[in-house]
Coordinates of all heavy atoms in Angstrom, one line a residue:
T872 N -10.6 24.4 21.1 CA -10.9 25.8 20.7 C -12.0 26.0 19.7 O -12.6 27.0 19.6 CB -9.6 26.4 20.1 OG1 -9.2 25.5 19.0 CG2 -8.5 26.6 21.1
S873 N -12.4 25.0 19.0 CA -13.4 25.2 18.1 C -14.8 25.3 18.8 O -15.6 26.1 18.3 CB -13.5 23.9 17.1 OG -14.4 22.9 17.5
W874 N -14.9 24.7 20.0 CA -16.2 25.0 20.7 C -16.3 26.3 21.2 O -17.2 27.0 21.1 CB -16.2 24.0 21.9 CG -17.5 24.1 22.7 CD1 -18.7 23.7 22.4 CD2 -17.7 24.9 23.9 NE1 -19.7 24.0 23.3 CE2 -19.1 24.8 24.2 CE3 -16.9 25.7 24.8 CZ2 -19.6 25.4 25.4 CZ3 -17.4 26.2 25.8 CH2 -18.8 26.1 26.1
F875 N -15.2 26.9 21.7 CA -15.1 28.3 22.0 C -15.4 29.3 20.9 O -16.1 30.3 21.0 CB -13.8 28.6 22.8 CG -13.7 28.0 24.2 CD1 -12.8 27.1 24.3 CD2 -14.5 28.5 25.3 CE1 -12.6 26.5 25.6 CE2 -14.3 28.0 26.4 CZ -13.4 27.0 26.8
D876 N -14.7 29.0 19.8 CA -15.0 29.8 18.6 C -16.5 29.8 18.2 O -17.0 30.8 17.9 CB -14.2 29.3 17.4 CG -12.7 29.6 17.6 OD1 -12.3 30.5 18.5 OD2 -11.9 28.9 17.0
T877 N -17.1 28.7 18.3 CA -18.4 28.5 17.8 C -19.3 29.3 18.9 O -20.3 30.1 18.5 CB -18.9 27.1 17.9 OG1 -18.1 26.3 16.9 CG2 -20.4 26.9 17.5
V878 N -19.1 29.1 20.1 CA -19.9 29.8 21.1 C -19.8 31.3 21.1 O -20.8 32.1 21.3 CB -19.6 29.3 22.6 CG1 -20.2 30.1 23.6 CG2 -19.9 27.8 22.7
L879 N -18.6 31.8 20.8 CA -18.4 33.2 20.8 C -18.8 33.9 19.6 O -19.1 35.1 19.6 CB -16.8 33.5 21.1 CG -16.4 33.2 22.5 CD1 -14.9 33.3 22.6 CD2 -17.1 33.9 23.6
L880 N -18.7 33.2 18.4 CA -18.9 33.9 17.2 C -20.2 33.6 16.5 O -20.7 34.3 15.6 CB -17.7 33.5 16.2 CG -16.4 33.9 16.7 CD1 -15.3 33.3 15.7 CD2 -16.2 35.3 16.9
E881 N -21.0 32.6 16.9 CA -22.2 32.2 16.3 C -23.3 33.2 16.7 O -23.2 33.9 17.7 CB -22.7 30.7 16.6 CG -21.8 29.7 16.0 CD -22.1 29.5 14.6 OE1 -23.2 29.6 14.2 OE2 -21.0 29.1 14.0
N882 N -24.4 33.3 15.9 CA -25.5 34.1 16.2 C -26.4 33.6 17.3 O -27.2 34.4 17.9 CB -26.3 34.5 15.0 CG -25.5 35.4 14.1 OD1 -24.7 36.1 14.5 ND2 -25.8 35.3 12.8
D883 N -26.4 32.2 17.5 CA -27.4 31.6 18.5 C -26.6 31.3 19.8 O -26.6 30.2 20.3 CB -27.9 30.4 17.8 CG -27.0 29.4 17.4 OD1 -25.7 29.7 17.3 OD2 -27.3 28.3 17.1
Q884 N -26.1 32.4 20.4 CA -25.4 32.2 21.7 C -26.3 31.7 22.8 O -25.9 31.0 23.7 CB -24.6 33.5 22.1 CG -23.6 33.8 21.2 CD -22.7 35.0 21.8 OE1 -23.0 35.5 22.8 NE2 -21.7 35.4 21.0
L885 N -27.5 32.1 22.8 CA -28.4 31.7 23.8 C -28.6 30.2 23.7 O -28.7 29.5 24.8 CB -29.8 32.4 23.7 CG -30.8 32.0 24.8 CD1 -30.3 32.3 26.2 CD2 -32.1 32.8 24.5
R886 N -28.8 29.6 22.5 CA -28.9 28.2 22.4 C -27.7 27.5 22.9 O -27.8 26.4 23.6 CB -29.1 27.8 21.0 CG -29.3 26.3 20.7 CD -29.6 26.0 19.3 NE -30.9 26.4 18.8 CZ -31.9 25.9 19.0 NH1 -32.0 24.5 19.5 NH2 -33.2 26.2 18.5
H887 N -26.5 28.0 22.7 CA -25.3 27.4 23.3 C -25.3 27.5 24.8 O -24.8 26.4 25.4 CB -24.0 28.0 22.7 CG -23.8 27.7 21.2 ND1 -23.4 26.4 20.9 CD2 -23.9 28.5 20.1 CE1 -23.2 26.4 19.6 NE2 -23.6 27.7 19.0
K888 N -25.7 28.5 25.3 CA -25.8 28.6 26.8 C -26.8 27.7 27.4 O -26.5 27.1 28.4 CB -26.0 30.1 27.1 CG -24.9 31.0 26.9 CD -25.2 32.4 27.2 CE -24.1 33.3 26.9 NZ -24.4 34.7 27.1
V889 N -27.9 27.6 26.7 CA -28.9 26.6 27.3 C -28.4 25.2 27.1 O -28.5 24.3 28.0 CB -30.2 26.8 26.5 CG1 -31.3 25.7 26.9 CG2 -30.9 28.1 26.9
T890 N -27.7 24.8 26.1 CA -27.1 23.6 25.9 C -26.1 23.2 26.9 O -26.1 22.1 27.5 CB -26.4 23.4 24.5 OG1 -27.4 23.7 23.4 CG2 -25.7 22.1 24.2
Y891 N -25.3 24.3 27.3 CA -24.3 24.0 28.3 C -25.0 23.8 29.7 O -24.6 22.9 30.5 CB -23.3 25.2 28.4 CG -22.4 25.1 29.6 CD1 -21.3 24.2 29.5 CD2 -22.5 25.8 30.7 CE1 -20.4 24.0 30.5 CE2 -21.6 25.6 31.8 CZ -20.6 24.8 31.6 OH -19.7 24.6 32.7
A892 N -26.0 24.6 29.9 CA -26.8 24.4 31.2 C -27.4 23.0 31.3 O -27.4 22.4 32.3 CB -27.8 25.5 31.3
L893 N -28.0 22.5 30.2 CA -28.6 21.3 30.2 C -27.6 20.2 30.4 O -27.7 19.1 31.0 CB -29.3 21.0 28.8 CG -30.7 21.7 28.6 CD1 -31.1 21.6 27.2 CD2 -31.7 21.2 29.6
S894 N -26.3 20.4 29.8 CA -25.2 19.4 30.0 C -24.8 19.3 31.4 O -24.2 18.3 31.9 CB -24.1 19.7 29.1 OG -23.4 20.8 29.7
Q895 N -25.0 20.4 32.2 CA -24.8 20.3 33.6 C -25.9 19.7 34.5 O -25.7 19.2 35.6 CB -24.5 21.7 34.2 CG -23.3 22.5 33.4 CD -22.0 21.7 33.6 OE1 -21.6 21.4 34.7 NE2 -21.5 21.3 32.4
I896 N -27.0 19.6 33.8 CA -28.2 19.0 34.6 C -28.4 17.5 34.2 O -28.5 16.7 35.1 CB -29.5 19.8 34.2 CG1 -29.4 21.2 34.8 CG2 -30.8 19.1 34.9 CD1 -30.5 22.1 34.2
I897 N -28.3 17.2 32.9 CA -28.5 15.9 32.4 C -27.0 15.4 32.0 O -26.6 15.7 31.0 CB -29.4 15.8 31.2 CG1 -30.7 16.5 31.5 CG2 -29.6 14.4 30.7 CD1 -31.6 16.7 30.2
V898 N -26.4 14.8 32.9 CA -25.0 14.4 32.7 C -24.8 13.0 32.2 O -25.6 12.2 32.7 CB -24.2 14.7 34.0 CG1 -24.1 16.2 34.4 CG2 -24.6 13.9 35.2
E899 N -23.8 12.8 31.4 CA -23.4 11.4 31.1 C -21.9 11.3 31.5 O -21.1 12.3 31.5 CB -23.4 11.3 29.6 CG -24.8 11.1 29.1 CD -24.9 10.6 27.7 OE1 -23.9 10.6 27.0 OE2 -26.0 10.1 27.3
S900 N -21.6 10.2 32.0 CA -20.2 10.0 32.5 C -19.2 9.8 31.3 O -19.4 9.1 30.4 CB -20.1 8.7 33.4 OG -18.8 8.4 33.7
D901 N -18.1 10.6 31.5 CA -17.1 10.5 30.5 C -16.0 9.5 30.9 O -15.0 9.4 30.4 CB -16.4 11.9 30.1 CG -15.9 12.5 31.4 OD1 -15.9 11.9 32.4 OD2 -15.1 13.5 31.1
F902 N -16.3 8.7 32.0 CA -15.3 7.7 32.5 C -15.5 6.5 31.7 O -14.5 5.7 31.7 CB -15.8 7.5 34.0 CG -14.9 6.4 34.6 CD1 -13.6 6.7 34.9 CD2 -15.4 5.2 34.9 CE1 -12.8 5.8 35.5 CE2 -14.5 4.2 35.4 CZ -13.2 4.4 35.8
E903 N -16.7 6.2 31.1 CA -16.8 5.0 30.4 C -15.9 5.0 29.1 O -15.6 6.0 28.6 CB -18.2 4.9 29.8 CG -19.2 4.7 30.9 CD -19.0 3.4 31.7 OE1 -18.8 2.4 31.2 OE2 -19.2 3.6 33.0
P904 N -15.4 3.7 28.7 CA -14.5 3.6 27.7 C -15.0 4.2 26.3 O -14.2 4.7 25.5 CB -14.2 2.1 27.5 CG -14.6 1.6 28.9 CD -15.6 2.5 29.4
I905 N -16.3 4.2 26.1 CA -16.8 4.7 24.8 C -16.5 6.1 24.6 O -16.3 6.6 23.6 CB -18.3 4.4 24.7 CG1 -18.8 4.7 23.3 CG2 -19.1 5.1 25.7 CD1 -20.3 4.3 23.0
F906 N -16.4 6.9 25.8 CA -16.1 8.4 25.7 C -14.7 8.6 25.6 O -14.3 9.5 24.9 CB -16.8 9.0 26.9 CG -18.3 9.0 26.9 CD1 -18.9 8.5 27.9 CD2 -19.0 9.6 25.8 CE1 -20.4 8.5 27.9 CE2 -20.4 9.6 25.8 CZ -21.1 9.1 26.8
T907 N -13.9 7.8 26.1 CA -12.4 8.0 26.2 C -11.8 7.6 24.8 O -10.9 8.1 24.3 CB -11.7 7.3 27.3 OG1 -12.0 6.0 27.2 CG2 -12.1 7.9 28.6
R908 N -12.5 6.5 24.2 CA -12.0 6.1 22.9 C -12.6 6.7 21.7 O -12.0 6.9 20.7 CB -12.1 4.6 22.8 CG -11.3 3.8 23.7 CD -11.5 2.3 23.4 NE -12.9 2.0 23.5 CZ -13.5 0.9 23.8 NH1 -12.7 -0.1 24.1 NH2 -14.8 0.8 23.8
R909 N -13.8 7.0 21.9 CA -14.6 7.6 20.7 C -15.4 8.8 21.1 O -16.4 8.8 21.7 CB -15.6 6.5 20.3 CG -14.9 5.2 19.8 CD -15.8 4.3 19.2 NE -16.5 4.9 18.0 CZ -16.7 4.3 16.9 NH1 -16.3 3.2 16.7 NH2 -17.3 4.9 15.9
G910 N -14.7 10.0 20.7 CA -15.3 11.2 21.1 C -16.5 11.6 20.4 O -17.3 12.4 20.9
E911 N -16.8 10.9 19.3 CA -18.1 11.2 18.6 C -19.3 10.8 19.4 O -20.4 11.4 19.2 CB -18.1 10.6 17.1 CG -18.0 9.1 17.2 CD -16.6 8.7 17.0 OE1 -15.6 9.4 16.9 OE2 -16.4 7.5 16.8
A912 N -19.2 9.9 20.4 CA -20.4 9.6 21.2 C -20.7 10.7 22.1 O -21.8 11.1 22.2 CB -20.0 8.3 22.0
L913 N -19.7 11.4 22.7 CA -19.9 12.6 23.4 C -20.4 13.7 22.5 O -21.3 14.5 23.0 CB -18.7 12.9 24.2 CG -18.8 13.9 25.4 CD1 -19.9 13.5 26.4 CD2 -17.5 14.1 26.0
A914 N -19.8 13.9 21.4 CA -20.3 15.0 20.4 C -21.7 14.7 20.1 O -22.5 15.7 20.0 CB -19.5 14.9 19.3
R915 N -22.2 13.6 19.9 CA -23.6 13.2 19.6 C -24.5 13.6 20.7 O -25.5 14.1 20.5 CB -23.7 11.8 19.2 CG -25.2 11.3 18.9 CD -25.7 12.0 17.7 NE -27.1 11.7 17.6 CZ -28.2 12.5 17.3 NH1 -27.9 13.7 17.1 NH2 -29.4 12.0 17.2
Y916 N -24.0 13.4 22.0 CA -24.8 13.7 23.1 C -25.0 15.2 23.1 O -26.1 15.7 23.4 CB -24.0 13.2 24.4 CG -24.5 13.9 25.6 CD1 -25.7 13.5 26.2 CD2 -23.7 14.7 26.4 CE1 -26.2 14.0 27.4 CE2 -24.1 15.3 27.6 CZ -25.4 14.9 28.1 OH -25.9 15.4 29.2
F917 N -24.0 16.0 22.9 CA -24.1 17.5 22.9 C -25.0 18.0 21.7 O -25.6 19.0 21.8 CB -22.8 18.2 22.8 CG -22.1 18.3 24.2 CD1 -21.3 17.4 24.7 CD2 -22.5 19.3 25.0 CE1 -20.7 17.6 26.0 CE2 -22.1 19.5 26.4 CZ -21.1 18.6 26.8
D918 N -24.9 17.2 20.6 CA -25.8 17.5 19.4 C -27.3 17.4 19.9 O -28.2 18.2 19.5 CB -25.5 16.7 18.3 CG -24.3 17.1 17.5 OD1 -23.8 18.2 17.8 OD2 -23.7 16.2 16.7

């Protein structure tokens, strides 16, 4: 829910939408163990 709160309430909604679009184009697999055990790796990717 914190991602939805950020996307809906922040002033830079366009940046969040572009980030989401880029995440659909440049994908990283969340199947790898680093993503299932350590969410900060995926969070860093989105950063």
Side-chain angles (χ1 to χ4, degrees):
T872 53
S873 92
W874 183 80
F875 286 111
D876 291 340
T877 302
V878 171
L879 294 175
L880 301 175
E881 293 284 325
N882 290 332
D883 58 349
Q884 290 187 3
L885 181 60
R886 183 178 290 272
H887 287 288
K888 290 178 182 180
V889 171
T890 300
Y891 178 75
L893 287 172
S894 74
Q895 301 301 305
I896 296 169
I897 308 169
V898 295
E899 285 192 349
S900 173
D901 61 352
F902 181 73
E903 293 299 319
I905 189 170
F906 292 120
T907 56
R908 287 184 310 208
R909 300 189 57 137
E911 58 266 9
L913 194 56
R915 176 67 183 133
Y916 166 70
F917 276 98
D918 286 344

